Amino acid sequence: MSAPWLTSRRLQAHGLLLALAVWSIYAWVLATPTLRDRNGLVKGTDFLHFYTLGSLALEHRGADLYNMQTQSALAQQKVAQAGRLFYVPLYGPQVSLVFAPLAALPYAWALAIWSLTNAAIYALCCYAIWKTCANLQSQRWTVFLLAIAYPDFFHCIAWGQTSALALACFTAAYLALRSNHLYLAGISLGCLIFKPQLALAAAAVFLLARAWKVVGGALAAGAAQLAAGWLYYGTPVMEDYFHHLAHVSEVYAMLEPRPYQMHSLRAFWAMLVPWPHYAFGLYLATAIAALGVTAAYWKSPAPLSLRYSVLLLATVLVSPHLTVYDLLILAPAFLLTADWLTTHVEDPRARWLGLLLYLAYALPLVGPLAQWTHLQLSVPVMAALVWAIRNVEIGPQPLTSPR
C-alpha cells in the first residue's frame, strides 16, 4: 500500500492484530459493574468534565464555568462514584451548550451516546477522505482495519474527548478546498475555536498565503461560536474565559499531568531539556521553522493532498498543547499521503516515506516510554515526515491549487 516491504497483506495483519489487542484490552478494563474501570478511573475520563460543563449550562451557572473547585464538587454530586476529581476549565462557554442535552441524562447513558457519536464522526470522516483517494479504492479492507486499529482513535474513545469534532472540522475544510469553496473551508477551520491551539498552524499558513476568503470564513465561524456563549451567559463569563486563556501557562502542570502523553514540539523540548526557558526557546525556534516550511510548501504546485497532509502534521507539531487523543486529526494525512505514495513507490525520494508513515501511525503506542527516556519519538518522526513529503518528486500537477 505504501512501501515495498509494507504490503497490503502485512498491513492488514498488523491492523487486525492491533485492533484485537487494543479493543479487547479496553473491553476488559471497562468490564466492571460500576462507573470505575479496572484501573480505578472513572469511565470516560475527560467526559466527566464535559458532562459537568453541560450541567452548568442546564442550570445557567455561567459564573462557575471557570471555577475548578465548584466544578469538582458538582461532578462528585452528579457522579458519586467518580470521587473528587479536578479538571482545568479552559474550554469556551459555547462548549458547555453542546453538552447540555447529554447532561440531562444519567452519566452512563450520556457516555455511551458520546462514544457512539465520536465513533460515527470518525467513521464518516475516514470514509469521506478515502472516497477522494482514487488509488486506495481497491484497498478498502486495509484502510478499514487500519482505521479501526488507529491508536489515537482508541485514545479519543477511552478519554471521552472532543477530538472527533476537530477531525470533522479538518475533514470538511479539506473537502471544501478540494472543491475550491474557500469561504466554506474557512468556516470549517473557524469551528476549531473550541480547541484554538489546533487552528494555530492553519491561521499562519492562510494569512501568509493571503487566502482572505479562508481567513474571513474562519473569523466569521469563530465569532459565531463565541457569540453563542456570550448571548447565553453574558459578558462577565466571556471576560473570565479570555482571562483564563491568557494565563494558561500558569496551569500547564495541572493541564498536562502526564507529559509523556503529549506529542508536540513544546512537550518534546520540555521533556528533553531540563531548563524551562531554554526548552521554550527551542520550541519557538522549531515551531517557527515548521510553520515556515509549511507556509512555503502550501504555495508550491504540489498536490493539495500532500500540502494538506503537511498542514495537519504542522498543526500537531506547533500546537502549544496537544495530547495523544488529538493526534486523531492526522487520519486524513495518513490516507492522503498513502494514496499518493501508492503510485510513487519507485520514486527514490519517497523511499523512506512509507516507513515514516508507519512509524507516525504506531509510535503513540509507545509514548509512555518517554516518562523514562524523556524522548517522545513521535515528534521527530512527524517532523521528518513533513520534510520527506516536502522533498518528494511531485511530478506534473493535475489539480488547480486553491490559494
Side-chain angles (χ1 to χ4, degrees):
M1 177 178 169
S2 56
W5 60 275
L6 285 176
T7 63
S8 292
R9 286 187 178 276
R10 287 181 179 177
L11 287 173
Q12 287 177 13
H14 293 185
L16 180 60
L17 289 173
L18 182 56
L20 288 174
V22 168
W23 292 109
S24 59
I25 292 173
Y26 181 57
W28 178 80
V29 169
L30 288 186
T32 64
T34 70
L35 290 178
R36 285 190 174 272
D37 62 25
R38 293 182 186 273
N39 294 322
L41 302 174
V42 63
K43 294 175 181 177
T45 316
D46 289 353
F47 180 73
L48 178 61
H49 179 46
F50 301 118
Y51 188 77
T52 304
L53 294 178
S55 300
L56 292 175
L58 286 177
E59 300 172 16
H60 216 285
R61 294 168 58 181
D64 293 326
L65 278 178
Y66 301 99
N67 189 318
M68 194 184 307
Q69 296 292 335
T70 300
Q71 287 187 29
S72 178
L74 179 61
Q76 188 174 27
Q77 175 188 332
K78 294 287 184 179
V79 187
Q81 296 179 41
R84 196 69 188 266
L85 298 174
F86 295 88
Y87 297 91
V88 179
L90 282 176
Y91 282 95
Q94 76 279 9
V95 173
S96 67
L97 304 180
V98 174
F99 288 94
L102 291 177
L105 302 172
Y107 180 80
W109 280 101
L111 175 59
I113 292 172
W114 182 242
S115 297
L116 290 172
T117 300
N118 270 335
I121 293 173
Y122 175 68
L124 287 172
C125 289
C126 288
Y127 179 78
I129 296 296
W130 173 71
K131 289 296 288 184
T132 70
C133 299
N135 301 315
L136 296 184
Q137 296 306 294
S138 62
Q139 305 288 342
R140 64 182 62 194
W141 285 111
T142 305
V143 171
F144 175 73
L145 289 171
L146 290 175
I148 290 178
Y150 187 30
D152 306 305
F153 171 49
F154 157 74
H155 279 292
C156 179
I157 297 297
W159 292 59
Q161 260 290 337
T162 57
S163 306
L165 296 178
L167 172 64
C169 294
F170 280 113
T171 300
Y174 174 73
L175 297 176
L177 287 170
R178 194 170 181 270
S179 302
N180 210 36
H181 295 144
L182 304 186
Y183 190 73
L184 183 58
I187 289 176
S188 301
L189 292 171
C191 288
L192 289 167
I193 192 68
F194 75 97
K195 278 183 178 281
Q197 71 273 20
L198 297 182
L200 180 60
V205 166
F206 288 110
L207 280 171
L208 290 171
R210 298 182 181 180
W212 304 124
K213 287 185 178 180
V214 177
V215 173
L219 290 174
Q225 263 198 51
L226 294 176
W230 173 66
L231 289 171
Y232 189 79
Y233 290 112
T235 302
V237 173
M238 299 306 298
E239 292 175 344
D240 207 10
Y241 165 60
F242 287 117
H243 171 80
H244 281 78
L245 202 61
H247 293 82
V248 65
S249 60
E250 299 174 6
V251 293
Y252 263 136
M254 296 185 65
L255 188 62
E256 300 174 352
R258 302 179 184 90
Y260 55 86
Q261 293 285 24
M262 315 307 293
H263 293 264
S264 68
L265 285 167
R266 192 195 67 78
F268 174 81
W269 292 116
M271 282 192 292
L272 190 62
V273 179
W275 303 283
H277 292 297
Y278 289 108
F280 187 71
L282 287 167
Y283 159 61
L284 285 181
T286 50
I288 291 171
L291 287 175
V293 168
T294 304
Y297 188 62
W298 187 263
K299 296 179 182 179
S300 76
L304 174 63
S305 58
L306 293 185
R307 289 185 289 132
Y308 202 74
S309 297
V310 167
L311 175 61
L312 289 175
L313 288 163
T315 295
V316 169
L317 289 171
V318 307
S319 174
H321 171 70
L322 191 131
T323 310
V324 61
Y325 44 73
D326 283 330
L327 291 175
L328 191 72
I329 67 170
L330 292 181
F334 290 120
L335 288 168
L336 295 171
T337 307
D339 179 63
W340 180 89
L341 188 57
T342 298
T343 56
H344 293 78
V345 290
E346 302 302 326
D347 188 330
R349 291 190 178 185
R351 184 176 304 168
W352 297 103
L353 195 51
L355 175 60
L356 290 171
L357 274 178
Y358 185 89
L359 291 174
Y361 174 95
L363 277 175
L365 285 169
V366 298
L369 291 178
Q371 60 188 308
W372 297 291
T373 65
H374 297 280
L375 181 64
Q376 190 60 273
L377 293 173
S378 64
V379 176
V381 165
M382 286 187 288
L385 188 53
V386 167
W387 195 255
I389 295 175
R390 174 188 178 275
N391 286 309
V392 292
E393 186 67 40
I394 300 302
Q397 167 63 325
L399 300 175
T400 300
S401 305
R403 299 288 176 86

PDB file of all heavy atoms in Angstrom, residues 5 16 45 50 57-58 134 227 237 277 298-299 376 378 381:
ATOM      1  N   TRP A   5       8.046  -3.190   1.325  1.00  0.00           N
ATOM      2  CA  TRP A   5       8.052  -4.151   2.429  1.00  0.00           C
ATOM      3  C   TRP A   5       6.788  -4.071   3.268  1.00  0.00           C
ATOM      4  O   TRP A   5       6.531  -4.915   4.109  1.00  0.00           O
ATOM      5  CB  TRP A   5       9.277  -3.938   3.317  1.00  0.00           C
ATOM      6  CG  TRP A   5       9.348  -2.577   3.940  1.00  0.00           C
ATOM      7  CD1 TRP A   5       9.851  -1.443   3.394  1.00  0.00           C
ATOM      8  CD2 TRP A   5       8.900  -2.220   5.246  1.00  0.00           C
ATOM      9  NE1 TRP A   5       9.735  -0.398   4.263  1.00  0.00           N
ATOM     10  CE2 TRP A   5       9.155  -0.848   5.409  1.00  0.00           C
ATOM     11  CE3 TRP A   5       8.298  -2.921   6.288  1.00  0.00           C
ATOM     12  CZ2 TRP A   5       8.832  -0.163   6.575  1.00  0.00           C
ATOM     13  CZ3 TRP A   5       7.971  -2.244   7.451  1.00  0.00           C
ATOM     14  CH2 TRP A   5       8.253  -0.881   7.576  1.00  0.00           C
ATOM     15  N   LEU A  16      -5.228  -5.874  11.991  1.00  0.00           N
ATOM     16  CA  LEU A  16      -6.128  -6.807  12.676  1.00  0.00           C
ATOM     17  C   LEU A  16      -5.602  -7.160  14.063  1.00  0.00           C
ATOM     18  O   LEU A  16      -6.358  -7.144  15.051  1.00  0.00           O
ATOM     19  CB  LEU A  16      -6.288  -8.071  11.829  1.00  0.00           C
ATOM     20  CG  LEU A  16      -7.198  -9.164  12.415  1.00  0.00           C
ATOM     21  CD1 LEU A  16      -8.604  -8.635  12.623  1.00  0.00           C
ATOM     22  CD2 LEU A  16      -7.208 -10.389  11.506  1.00  0.00           C
ATOM     23  N   THR A  45     -13.243   9.097  31.550  1.00  0.00           N
ATOM     24  CA  THR A  45     -12.183  10.024  31.982  1.00  0.00           C
ATOM     25  C   THR A  45     -12.577  11.484  31.770  1.00  0.00           C
ATOM     26  O   THR A  45     -13.289  12.054  32.581  1.00  0.00           O
ATOM     27  CB  THR A  45     -10.860   9.704  31.249  1.00  0.00           C
ATOM     28  OG1 THR A  45     -10.660   8.293  31.246  1.00  0.00           O
ATOM     29  CG2 THR A  45      -9.684  10.340  31.970  1.00  0.00           C
ATOM     30  N   PHE A  50     -16.821  17.345  30.568  1.00  0.00           N
ATOM     31  CA  PHE A  50     -17.823  17.876  29.639  1.00  0.00           C
ATOM     32  C   PHE A  50     -19.236  17.694  30.187  1.00  0.00           C
ATOM     33  O   PHE A  50     -20.105  18.546  29.985  1.00  0.00           O
ATOM     34  CB  PHE A  50     -17.686  17.180  28.277  1.00  0.00           C
ATOM     35  CG  PHE A  50     -16.337  17.361  27.652  1.00  0.00           C
ATOM     36  CD1 PHE A  50     -15.523  16.268  27.392  1.00  0.00           C
ATOM     37  CD2 PHE A  50     -15.857  18.619  27.340  1.00  0.00           C
ATOM     38  CE1 PHE A  50     -14.268  16.429  26.818  1.00  0.00           C
ATOM     39  CE2 PHE A  50     -14.607  18.795  26.775  1.00  0.00           C
ATOM     40  CZ  PHE A  50     -13.812  17.700  26.510  1.00  0.00           C
ATOM     41  N   ALA A  57     -24.482  24.443  32.214  1.00  0.00           N
ATOM     42  CA  ALA A  57     -25.268  25.124  31.179  1.00  0.00           C
ATOM     43  C   ALA A  57     -26.757  24.949  31.440  1.00  0.00           C
ATOM     44  O   ALA A  57     -27.542  25.901  31.301  1.00  0.00           O
ATOM     45  CB  ALA A  57     -24.893  24.584  29.800  1.00  0.00           C
ATOM     46  N   LEU A  58     -27.158  23.735  31.825  1.00  0.00           N
ATOM     47  CA  LEU A  58     -28.574  23.486  32.109  1.00  0.00           C
ATOM     48  C   LEU A  58     -29.081  24.372  33.250  1.00  0.00           C
ATOM     49  O   LEU A  58     -30.225  24.825  33.239  1.00  0.00           O
ATOM     50  CB  LEU A  58     -28.787  22.022  32.470  1.00  0.00           C
ATOM     51  CG  LEU A  58     -28.713  21.001  31.324  1.00  0.00           C
ATOM     52  CD1 LEU A  58     -28.876  19.586  31.862  1.00  0.00           C
ATOM     53  CD2 LEU A  58     -29.783  21.287  30.273  1.00  0.00           C
ATOM     54  N   ALA A 134      -8.252   7.948  -5.036  1.00  0.00           N
ATOM     55  CA  ALA A 134      -8.502   7.004  -6.135  1.00  0.00           C
ATOM     56  C   ALA A 134      -7.653   5.753  -6.030  1.00  0.00           C
ATOM     57  O   ALA A 134      -8.111   4.645  -6.336  1.00  0.00           O
ATOM     58  CB  ALA A 134      -8.252   7.704  -7.475  1.00  0.00           C
ATOM     59  N   ALA A 227     -20.037  34.055  20.084  1.00  0.00           N
ATOM     60  CA  ALA A 227     -21.252  34.853  20.281  1.00  0.00           C
ATOM     61  C   ALA A 227     -22.354  34.016  20.927  1.00  0.00           C
ATOM     62  O   ALA A 227     -23.142  34.525  21.737  1.00  0.00           O
ATOM     63  CB  ALA A 227     -21.732  35.414  18.946  1.00  0.00           C
ATOM     64  N   VAL A 237     -18.816  36.297  31.791  1.00  0.00           N
ATOM     65  CA  VAL A 237     -18.309  34.945  31.548  1.00  0.00           C
ATOM     66  C   VAL A 237     -17.273  34.952  30.427  1.00  0.00           C
ATOM     67  O   VAL A 237     -16.256  34.257  30.498  1.00  0.00           O
ATOM     68  CB  VAL A 237     -19.468  33.986  31.201  1.00  0.00           C
ATOM     69  CG1 VAL A 237     -18.927  32.625  30.771  1.00  0.00           C
ATOM     70  CG2 VAL A 237     -20.387  33.819  32.406  1.00  0.00           C
ATOM     71  N   HIS A 277      13.306  27.684  30.335  1.00  0.00           N
ATOM     72  CA  HIS A 277      13.461  28.813  29.406  1.00  0.00           C
ATOM     73  C   HIS A 277      14.144  28.372  28.108  1.00  0.00           C
ATOM     74  O   HIS A 277      13.751  28.795  27.006  1.00  0.00           O
ATOM     75  CB  HIS A 277      14.258  29.941  30.076  1.00  0.00           C
ATOM     76  CG  HIS A 277      13.512  30.610  31.197  1.00  0.00           C
ATOM     77  ND1 HIS A 277      12.334  31.298  30.994  1.00  0.00           N
ATOM     78  CD2 HIS A 277      13.771  30.680  32.525  1.00  0.00           C
ATOM     79  CE1 HIS A 277      11.896  31.782  32.151  1.00  0.00           C
ATOM     80  NE2 HIS A 277      12.758  31.418  33.100  1.00  0.00           N
ATOM     81  N   TRP A 298       2.869  25.216   1.052  1.00  0.00           N
ATOM     82  CA  TRP A 298       1.478  25.467   0.669  1.00  0.00           C
ATOM     83  C   TRP A 298       1.392  26.273  -0.630  1.00  0.00           C
ATOM     84  O   TRP A 298       0.471  26.096  -1.422  1.00  0.00           O
ATOM     85  CB  TRP A 298       0.726  26.183   1.782  1.00  0.00           C
ATOM     86  CG  TRP A 298      -0.741  26.310   1.482  1.00  0.00           C
ATOM     87  CD1 TRP A 298      -1.395  27.381   0.943  1.00  0.00           C
ATOM     88  CD2 TRP A 298      -1.730  25.286   1.655  1.00  0.00           C
ATOM     89  NE1 TRP A 298      -2.718  27.103   0.776  1.00  0.00           N
ATOM     90  CE2 TRP A 298      -2.964  25.819   1.205  1.00  0.00           C
ATOM     91  CE3 TRP A 298      -1.699  23.980   2.146  1.00  0.00           C
ATOM     92  CZ2 TRP A 298      -4.153  25.094   1.243  1.00  0.00           C
ATOM     93  CZ3 TRP A 298      -2.885  23.257   2.181  1.00  0.00           C
ATOM     94  CH2 TRP A 298      -4.086  23.811   1.725  1.00  0.00           C
ATOM     95  N   LYS A 299       2.344  27.138  -0.855  1.00  0.00           N
ATOM     96  CA  LYS A 299       2.343  27.973  -2.068  1.00  0.00           C
ATOM     97  C   LYS A 299       2.945  27.253  -3.273  1.00  0.00           C
ATOM     98  O   LYS A 299       2.953  27.802  -4.375  1.00  0.00           O
ATOM     99  CB  LYS A 299       3.133  29.260  -1.803  1.00  0.00           C
ATOM    100  CG  LYS A 299       2.518  30.151  -0.736  1.00  0.00           C
ATOM    101  CD  LYS A 299       3.379  31.389  -0.507  1.00  0.00           C
ATOM    102  CE  LYS A 299       2.818  32.282   0.577  1.00  0.00           C
ATOM    103  NZ  LYS A 299       3.668  33.481   0.811  1.00  0.00           N
ATOM    104  N   GLN A 376      10.212  11.822  23.264  1.00  0.00           N
ATOM    105  CA  GLN A 376       8.962  11.446  22.607  1.00  0.00           C
ATOM    106  C   GLN A 376       9.247  11.217  21.126  1.00  0.00           C
ATOM    107  O   GLN A 376       9.330  12.154  20.337  1.00  0.00           O
ATOM    108  CB  GLN A 376       7.909  12.552  22.796  1.00  0.00           C
ATOM    109  CG  GLN A 376       6.518  12.167  22.352  1.00  0.00           C
ATOM    110  CD  GLN A 376       5.980  10.962  23.101  1.00  0.00           C
ATOM    111  OE1 GLN A 376       6.224   9.822  22.695  1.00  0.00           O
ATOM    112  NE2 GLN A 376       5.268  11.210  24.199  1.00  0.00           N
ATOM    113  N   SER A 378       7.634  10.141  18.590  1.00  0.00           N
ATOM    114  CA  SER A 378       6.675  10.501  17.549  1.00  0.00           C
ATOM    115  C   SER A 378       6.945  11.882  16.968  1.00  0.00           C
ATOM    116  O   SER A 378       6.687  12.126  15.782  1.00  0.00           O
ATOM    117  CB  SER A 378       5.248  10.461  18.108  1.00  0.00           C
ATOM    118  OG  SER A 378       5.092  11.438  19.129  1.00  0.00           O
ATOM    119  N   VAL A 381       9.745  11.996  14.323  1.00  0.00           N
ATOM    120  CA  VAL A 381       9.252  11.239  13.169  1.00  0.00           C
ATOM    121  C   VAL A 381       8.269  12.090  12.367  1.00  0.00           C
ATOM    122  O   VAL A 381       8.316  12.115  11.128  1.00  0.00           O
ATOM    123  CB  VAL A 381       8.602   9.915  13.615  1.00  0.00           C
ATOM    124  CG1 VAL A 381       7.778   9.297  12.480  1.00  0.00           C
ATOM    125  CG2 VAL A 381       9.672   8.939  14.068  1.00  0.00           C
TER     126      VAL A 381
END
